[in-house]
Structure formats: structure tokens, C-alpha cells
Amino acid sequence: MAGGWTRDGAIQDQIDDTVSDALEHARSRMPSGESAEFCVECGEAIPEPRRLAVPGVRTCIACQTQRDGQRAATSFNRRGSKDSQLK
């Protein structure tokens, strides 16, 4: 059921498009190419299984974990109202 001037299913279409855009953005930021042998952050050797599992990896597990922790602190506010997220 759509509200106002929207057709039925328009809200779900908008949600689907938002998810698709987020996936495309995340995939575009993933590393690619040949992996580095040594971490660009600390200089430690990157284990071969990690280099094979993540093509184009540039950081060791410890440095990547630290980076991910910093990003989590600046993530989206998911507590906003539904209407504010649909705009």
C-alpha cells in the first residue's frame, strides 16, 4: 500500500534501490589486483592465506581490524525515523 501520490510498491522500490546502491558502492571500494606482501600501515608480512583470500589486500589483519573499528564509530545513524530514511 502506497501513500500520498506514490503508486503501490514505490516505497519498496526505493528501499531496493537504496540497498543496490549501497552494495555497488561497497563493492567498488573492495581491494582488487595483486596483494601486497607487507602491510602498508605497519610493515609486517601479510600471511599468504590472507593474500589469496582477499585479492588486492594492502593491510595485515591487525591493522585492518583497527581500521574497521574506526569506521564503525562513524557509521550511519540507524535510529532515525522511517520517514527521514526514505527521503
Side-chain angles (χ1 to χ4, degrees), residues 3-74:
W5 299 99
T6 60
R7 64 173 177 74
D8 285 345
I11 293 173
Q12 185 62 47
D13 290 345
Q14 186 175 14
I15 293 169
D16 293 344
D17 288 342
T18 301
V19 170
S20 295
D21 289 346
L23 283 171
E24 184 179 329
H25 178 70
R27 288 180 179 138
S28 73
R29 294 179 52 206
M30 290 180 68
S32 62
E34 191 166 333
S35 297
E37 289 189 36
F38 298 95
C39 179
V40 296
E41 299 282 328
C42 67
E44 292 290 322
I46 300 174
E48 185 175 2
R50 176 167 169 76
R51 291 187 311 218
L52 295 174
V54 185
V57 70
R58 300 278 179 240
T59 56
C60 66
I61 295 171
C63 290
Q64 187 64 49
T65 301
Q66 186 177 13
R67 278 181 165 188
D68 291 346
Q70 291 171 351
R71 281 191 207 135
T74 60

